Amino acid sequence: MSVVKSTLSDDDRKVVGDALQGALVDLVDLSLVAKQVHWNIIGPRFRSVHLQLDDVVDTARAYADTVAERASAIGVSPDGRAETVAKTSGIDTVQDNWIKDAEVVRVVTDALGAVIARMRERIRVTDEPDPVSQDILIGLTADLEKHHWMFQAESA
């Protein structure tokens, strides 16, 4: 049951709600993964990668809020609880303890690539039912692809 009434049909709201919920989980987990490696990075590129990770975290957190609020606006209750993120995220877990800068770059590049692939599918499925949500996902994906490019350039 939804206390917020949407102009979307129930079927469209379900499709878009699933896409937004998946995006929310990916963004929350991406911010956590990036912070984890941010705190534990070691190596000669420590400072530059450390700062670059903050940019990823800022993007993920800002869009997580935008995505969650869009879900609420269409009558879907967003779920960013730790338990939900742990059960449904598609991002691989990261090692604990110190992590070399080159490994951090690989981990974050892989995480961004995985999230981007899922975002592109979400863009596809929201095209017809809700171009407004699709627009949010397009902007988000563009920003994630910029981060992905920059992390790939770190390992070239």
Side-chain angles (χ1 to χ4, degrees), residues 28-110:
V28 169
D29 200 20
L30 180 62
S31 72
L32 294 171
V33 165
K35 265 305 182 187
Q36 179 64 28
V37 296
H38 167 91
W39 296 322
N40 288 285
I41 186 173
I42 55 173
R45 294 184 296 164
F46 165 83
R47 179 139 176 85
S48 64
V49 177
H50 183 82
L51 294 173
Q52 198 174 350
L53 288 163
D54 276 335
D55 292 340
V56 172
V57 171
D58 290 346
T59 297
R61 287 179 178 171
Y63 273 105
D65 192 52
T66 299
V67 164
E69 288 179 355
R70 179 62 188 162
S72 293
I74 66 165
V76 174
S77 175
D79 186 356
R81 296 173 301 151
E83 178 183 7
T84 302
V85 173
K87 285 181 180 177
T88 61
S89 174
I91 299 174
D92 289 337
T93 59
V94 296
Q95 71 182 53
D96 62 350
N97 217 325
W98 307 114
I99 182 169
K100 297 260 186 192
D101 51 8
E103 180 64 8
V104 167
V105 169
R106 187 200 61 76
V107 164
V108 175
T109 300
D110 289 353

